Amino acid sequence: MPRALGAIKDQAQDPLVRVVEIAMQGFAKASEPGAFLVDNFPVLRCTPEWLLPGGGFKAIARRMRRELDEMYDLPYAFVKKEMEAGRARPSFISSYLEEKRIPTPADEELIKAAAASLYSGGADTTPSSMTAFILAMTLWPQIQTRAQAELDVVLGPSSSWTRLPTFADRARLPYINAIVLEVLRWNPAVPLGLAHRVTQDDVYHGCFIPKGTVVWANIWSMLQDPGVFPDPEVFRPERYLDADGNLRELERYEDPSIIGFGFGRRICPGMFFAMNSIFIGIATMLCVFNITKAKDENGEEIVPEVDFQGFISHPAPFKCEIAPRSEETATLIRRAAGQV
Ligand code: HEM
């Protein structure tokens, strides 16, 4: 079995990657509003399985349960085995197991569930934001140029670079921070959030909502409201900056980092982790790469379409070119990848 941490040689073949991918496909399907009639008509639960073609939603639910259990069990069993063999790399699971020493069955369930949530919650969402960022840089090169100029001021001229950007640089990179916010707004990774159930009768704008109703927060529509974000389809980080180029104090309704991660008790627990990952990913990519439009066989630039799809929203596949900004940055990339 491949190592859990470190370089993943072939993602499609790595069982620890596959198991999450499969479970998340089921999760996305099950979470789609209206995907299963039984969600709206719970009485259908009582239908005997033999009456449903191919076992219907009951057979699907059983398969998804099995896939979910595997996502909990496989990575946990792998780390335990590696620890017993004395070759485990430090990880979320290994540090909890070391702390607990003799975990009770309840501890084990909690550690498994926390690790699986951590991995599955971030496996598709953060990449969705990073791909949207690459699409935006392909379409709006002037934004990339301004962001790279900001980085060059903070890190010094590219010929003298010895390091990549770090979190310590963040406060001096307002434009990059604004790009992070605009990525969260332009392509909200979870555009409808997750289903919530109303715990008591409520009235909203004169509309009675009985206890037990399933409601969805339309994050996408809040972040595309032209009254709050003029020309919402345009990627424009300047929305979040004042006249001096500093980040503005944002009201809650105009802050994608507040809206994009959901609401209430079930708000995304990975929001700070996600914001940090996206920031460092974007800053690093801008530092070392130029992202440009790909060319077709006639040498004409290919302008990608903006087409976001899915319960976890991803841009449809598009073409672009990503090349090191200079020889120095190429060396930095190779060094970070452990190749020099
Ligand atoms: C761009 C990145 C991300 C976005 C936009 C995002 C957004 C969301 C949203 C909208 C929800 C639903 C909240 C609600 O029900 O109101 C959610 C739930 C969740 N997120 Fe994230 N998320 C991101 C990254 C992450 C990461 C990196 C992790 C884990 C490390 C994570 C873990 C979770 C978990 C476990 C839940 C379910 C929480 C629950 O139902 O109690 N997310 N996320």
Side-chain angles (χ1 to χ4, degrees):
M1 184 170 303
R3 294 175 308 179
L5 295 167
I8 297 166
K9 295 280 184 256
D10 181 349
Q11 295 212 6
Q13 297 306 320
D14 190 313
L16 297 182
V17 175
R18 285 289 299 147
V19 78
V20 178
E21 232 168 53
I22 291 169
M24 290 313 285
Q25 278 163 11
F27 170 77
K29 178 75 195 148
S31 305
E32 251 172 53
F36 293 99
L37 215 54
V38 64
D39 290 338
N40 300 328
F41 301 101
V43 68
L44 291 174
R45 268 182 313 182
C46 307
T47 318
E49 196 168 329
W50 55 267
L51 262 184
L52 302 163
F57 70 88
K58 292 196 173 181
I60 296 176
R62 226 185 356 265
R63 194 198 69 226
M64 286 179 181
R65 174 80 249 179
R66 200 174 50 243
E67 291 166 355
L68 204 65
D69 285 343
E70 280 177 3
M71 179 173 84
Y72 278 41
D73 295 337
L74 262 186
Y76 184 80
F78 171 69
V79 176
K80 247 181 127 171
K81 202 165 132 221
E82 292 289 284
M83 287 177 79
E84 278 157 20
R87 54 169 190 251
R89 292 170 161 232
S91 67
F92 182 84
I93 291 179
S94 75
S95 56
Y96 269 101
L97 284 180
E98 266 161 22
E99 191 183 305
K100 290 283 172 196
R101 289 190 183 277
I102 306 171
T104 63
D107 287 334
E108 291 206 295
E109 281 315 301
L110 277 177
I111 298 169
K112 280 184 195 179
S117 305
L118 194 62
Y119 188 161
S120 61
D124 218 13
T125 46
T126 309
S128 137
S129 298
M130 289 307 295
T131 325
F133 156 74
I134 294 170
L135 177 59
M137 293 304 102
T138 309
L139 289 169
W140 284 281
Q142 73 283 7
I143 294 177
Q144 181 173 203
T145 309
R146 178 168 172 184
Q148 287 174 332
E150 183 180 77
L151 274 164
D152 292 352
V153 169
V154 170
L155 296 177
S158 64
S159 56
S160 64
W161 282 350
T162 51
R163 69 174 181 90
L164 294 168
T166 68
F167 290 109
D169 300 315
R170 191 165 191 170
R172 290 190 295 154
L173 296 169
Y175 197 65
I176 310 261
N177 285 302
I179 292 180
V180 174
L181 290 174
E182 188 64 343
V183 164
L184 294 174
R185 185 199 70 77
W186 192 55
N187 170 41
V190 195
L192 283 179
L194 300 179
H196 285 232
R197 190 185 292 277
V198 179
T199 52
Q200 56 188 53
D201 289 351
D202 205 351
V203 176
Y204 181 73
H205 283 229
C207 179
F208 176 63
I209 306 173
K211 175 179 172 179
T213 307
V214 174
V215 291
W216 296 81
N218 193 340
I219 291 175
W220 182 88
S221 122
M222 290 178 228
L223 292 173
Q224 301 293 316
D225 180 349
V228 182
F229 304 102
D231 307 320
E233 67 291 347
V234 177
F235 191 90
R236 191 184 290 149
E238 288 77 6
R239 300 175 196 278
Y240 313 103
L241 301 176
D242 64 19
D244 298 323
N246 297 315
L247 280 177
R248 290 192 293 116
E249 282 268 315
L250 299 174
E251 300 292 341
R252 291 178 66 80
Y253 65 86
E254 56 173 356
D255 186 343
S257 72
I258 299 274
I259 301 166
F261 292 99
F263 310 92
R265 281 192 305 175
R266 307 298 297 263
I267 193 170
C268 174
M271 64 189 287
F272 299 111
F273 183 45
M275 290 281 287
N276 285 341
S277 308
I278 297 167
F279 164 77
I280 208 69
I282 287 179
T284 307
M285 279 203 80
L286 286 169
C287 174
V288 296
F289 292 120
N290 279 327
I291 302 165
T292 52
K293 294 188 184 70
K295 299 217 167 85
D296 64 17
E297 56 280 9
N298 302 319
E300 299 288 333
E301 285 188 336
I302 303 169
V303 181
E305 258 185 66
V306 177
D307 178 15
F308 296 120
Q309 307 168 347
F311 178 75
I312 306 285
S313 169
H314 286 272
F318 63 95
K319 291 207 159 113
C320 68
E321 265 179 31
I322 302 179
R325 281 177 76 194
S326 63
E327 254 321 299
E328 287 78 19
T329 59
T331 309
L332 266 181
I333 300 163
R334 287 195 201 100
R335 197 181 302 145
Q339 290 176 6
V340 289

